[in-house]
């Protein structure tokens, strides 16, 4: 599922390439958009909040989208997807285009009502105005004290933007089990700071990189590794598919590096060893 950094990158790309252009033709193939028309409007700007995208037009309406697992937008690029997958197509002046492929949540709303969607979410990790305070983020993660760490990170009502990449990798980087109850983690605000710094730095990099090497590529410590050896200690990793986790998403972790205990602390020495070369360490929220 595209995460907060991916949506921020997408919104910035739409803003940079298409803002101020007039929509010359719009094609709506999604039944929820049947009979709606955007031709003749001007695309004002685009913004993201967590995993939600808002594309705004000068008639006071916004195209709201959530990509879930498989949705994507092509910005001024030819779409080769079959017509039935191209749920919305906007063709703008000077050859610009915006094509939504297999986007599962798509609607036209009044721009003034966007807050009705975002009010249900926690603070936006990739907000242009600045990051949420890690102390506040830790307090929100502890809303349910016995919730497992990765499940709490994925709850968009608490904090908006982290997805499965960060729910796998941030606990590993910090040496904390994804199954550790949040209220038993000392220094949870430090973990929140690491996760916030990573997702914000990646939103600028344009890639989901949690390792600090090969920065112009997607590269992760845990996400997608399955049962291969741990890249730190060499022990075989543990993996559970989404049907076997309390939070409904797959997880990979190392029982040696990330043991569950009555109380655990965030290992900042380990954090520095694993991501000391990542631009995230220069973010204001990165723990000192």
């Amino acid at each position: 599922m595209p995460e907060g950094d991916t949506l921020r990158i997408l919104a910035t790309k739409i803003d940079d390439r298409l803002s101020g252009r007039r929509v010359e033709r719009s094609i709506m193939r999604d039944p929820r958009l049947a009979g709606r028309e955007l031709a003749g409007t001007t695309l004002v700007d685009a913004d993201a909040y967590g995993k939600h995208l808002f594309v705004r037009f000068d008639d006071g309406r916004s195209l709201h989208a959530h990509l879930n697992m498989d949705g994507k937008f092509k910005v001024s690029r030819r779409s080769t997807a079959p017509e039935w997958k191209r749920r919305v197509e906007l063709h703008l002046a000077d050859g610009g285009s915006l094509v939504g492929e297999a986007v599962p949540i798509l609607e036209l709303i009044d721009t003034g009502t966007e807050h009705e969607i975002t009010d249900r979410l926690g603070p936006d990790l990739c907000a242009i105005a600045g990051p949420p305070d890690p102390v506040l983020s830790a307090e929100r993660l502890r809303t349910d004290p016995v919730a497992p760490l990765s499940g709490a990170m994925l709850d968009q009502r608490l904090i908006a933007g982290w997805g499965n990449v960060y729910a796998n990798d941030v606990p590993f980087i910090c040496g904390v089990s994804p199954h550790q109850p949040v209220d038993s983690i000392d220094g949870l605000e430090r973990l929140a700071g690491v996760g916030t710094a990573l997702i914000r730095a990646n939103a600028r990099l344009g890639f989901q990189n949690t390792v600090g090497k090969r920065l112009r590529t997607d590269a992760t410590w845990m996400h997608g590794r399955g049962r291969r050896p741990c890249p730190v200690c060499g022990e075989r990793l543990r993996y559970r598919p989404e049907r076997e986790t309390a939070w409904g998403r797959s997880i990979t972790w190392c029982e040696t590096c990330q043991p569950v205990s009555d109380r655990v602390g965030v290992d900042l020495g380990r954090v520095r060893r694993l991501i000391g070369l990542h631009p995230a360490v220069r973010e204001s929220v990165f723990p000192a």
Side-chain angles (χ1 to χ4, degrees), residues 169 171-175 210-213 221 231-232 257 268-278:
D169 278 39
F172 177 75
I173 290 166
C174 294
T210 63
V211 301
K213 302 175 184 178
W221 285 108
V232 171
C257 292
L268 284 184
R270 177 185 173 91
V271 172
R272 288 283 181 180
R273 290 194 300 273
L274 295 189
I275 60 169
L277 298 177
H278 199 290

Side-chain angles (χ1 to χ4, degrees), residues 1-12 14 45-56 62-68 105 107 109 111 113-133 136-137 140 154-163 199-200 203:
M1 179 184 293
E3 312 194 12
D5 47 1
T6 305
L7 269 295
R8 176 55 61 195
I9 293 164
L10 174 59
T12 300
I14 295 171
D45 62 17
D47 197 8
Y49 192 107
K51 301 180 183 183
H52 295 258
L53 175 71
F54 300 95
V55 183
R56 302 173 181 131
S62 297
L63 183 67
H64 165 236
H66 192 295
L67 306 184
N68 278 5
I105 298 176
E107 58 181 345
I109 62 175
T111 300
T113 64
E114 289 178 8
H115 71 91
E116 294 178 4
I117 295 167
T118 60
D119 285 351
R120 300 194 295 265
L121 305 172
D124 179 17
L125 290 164
C126 293
I128 292 175
D133 182 345
L136 171 62
S137 295
R140 296 183 67 87
L154 289 169
D155 189 338
Q156 302 301 295
R157 298 168 300 177
L158 304 179
I159 304 173
W162 283 321
I199 196 171
R200 290 184 68 84

Side-chain angles (χ1 to χ4, degrees), residues 99-285:
V99 180
E101 298 178 357
V103 181
I105 298 176
L106 201 59
E107 58 181 345
L108 273 172
I109 62 175
D110 291 336
T111 300
T113 64
E114 289 178 8
H115 71 91
E116 294 178 4
I117 295 167
T118 60
D119 285 351
R120 300 194 295 265
L121 305 172
D124 179 17
L125 290 164
C126 293
I128 292 175
D133 182 345
V135 174
L136 171 62
S137 295
E139 290 176 0
R140 296 183 67 87
L141 289 172
R142 292 191 184 101
T143 299
D144 178 359
V146 299
L149 172 60
S150 289
M153 290 181 66
L154 289 169
D155 189 338
Q156 302 301 295
R157 298 168 300 177
L158 304 179
I159 304 173
W162 283 321
N164 222 31
V165 167
Y166 298 96
N168 276 262
D169 278 39
V170 173
F172 177 75
I173 290 166
C174 294
V176 179
S177 171
H179 306 286
Q180 187 75 33
V182 286
D183 203 37
S184 65
I185 302 172
D186 296 327
L188 186 58
E189 68 281 354
R190 294 177 176 179
L191 184 146
V194 171
T196 303
L198 278 170
I199 196 171
R200 290 184 68 84
N202 286 340
R204 286 195 298 276
L205 283 173
F207 296 91
Q208 284 185 321
N209 186 304
T210 63
V211 301
K213 302 175 184 178
R214 305 182 303 279
L215 289 173
R216 305 311 264 169
T217 63
D218 294 329
T220 57
W221 285 108
M222 284 288 103
H223 186 255
R225 287 187 68 90
R227 295 182 174 85
R228 286 181 285 177
C230 173
V232 171
C233 73
E235 292 295 323
R236 189 181 187 191
L237 297 176
R238 296 292 307 276
Y239 170 80
R240 285 184 185 171
E242 59 185 44
R243 67 179 180 275
E244 294 180 14
T245 64
W247 54 92
R249 299 296 302 278
S250 63
I251 193 71
T252 302
W253 78 102
C254 174
E255 288 188 323
T256 301
C257 292
Q258 302 167 267
V260 174
S261 299
D262 290 340
R263 292 208 69 81
V264 300
V266 173
D267 186 345
L268 284 184
R270 177 185 173 91
V271 172
R272 288 283 181 180
R273 290 194 300 273
L274 295 189
I275 60 169
L277 298 177
H278 199 290
V281 302
R282 298 191 290 273
E283 294 285 322
S284 63
V285 292

Side-chain angles (χ1 to χ4, degrees), residues 28-36 84 87-88 103-104 106-107:
M28 309 291 189
R29 296 191 180 90
D30 191 297
R32 292 161 294 190
L33 299 178
R36 314 296 289 275
W84 65 270
R87 306 283 172 82
V88 59
V103 181
L106 201 59
E107 58 181 345

